[in-house]
Amino acid sequence: MQYLLMIYSDERIWAGMSQAEHEAEYKRYGAFGKEFASAIVGANPLQPTSVATTVRLRDGKVLTTDGPFAETKEQVGGYYLVEAGNLDDAVAMAAKIPAAMITAAGTGSN
């Protein structure tokens, strides 16, 4: 069965990281990708909300608005589409996504 593992995080934490912290985070994502390569069907990072556009159709007209519709503390930063035997297996994978380990201070824990 396929599961969509959505990555939520606070963009401000990522923006506040040093280059060394970014590189360490990329390595953690690389390790995650290798560990679950056989289960990952697809994955993509998303652009920050600062470049997002919301699209709506009202009275037959397309309306666009800069940014996301709702103010949130966390944003969707990307996703993994995975094959897993059951929900428990999918949850176990999701718990190993590096963003799941980032604290409010911006540091990961392993």
Side-chain angles (χ1 to χ4, degrees):
M1 177 172 281
Q2 291 187 344
Y3 293 86
L4 183 65
L5 310 181
M6 297 175 66
I7 302 166
Y8 285 92
S9 61
D10 185 333
E11 292 176 337
R12 294 171 297 178
I13 292 172
W14 183 260
M17 288 181 177
S18 68
Q19 183 63 30
E21 290 170 320
H22 281 181
E23 290 172 11
E25 196 69 4
Y26 290 136
K27 286 181 183 178
R28 285 191 280 274
Y29 274 96
F32 176 87
K34 286 180 184 175
E35 181 176 353
F36 296 107
S38 64
I40 296 172
V41 176
N44 280 299
L46 301 178
Q47 294 294 320
T49 58
S50 61
V51 298
T53 300
T54 300
V55 179
R56 290 186 177 71
L57 185 63
R58 299 291 186 264
D59 298 321
K61 294 183 181 179
V62 175
L63 303 175
T64 61
T65 306
D66 290 341
F69 180 77
E71 291 291 326
T72 62
K73 292 184 180 189
E74 294 183 323
Q75 297 75 38
V76 179
Y79 67 88
Y80 289 97
L81 180 62
V82 300
E83 283 284 345
N86 56 49
L87 179 59
D88 291 338
D89 292 344
V91 169
M93 278 187 250
K96 291 188 173 186
I97 294 174
M101 296 177 237
I102 293 178
T103 66
T107 58
S109 61
N110 292 331

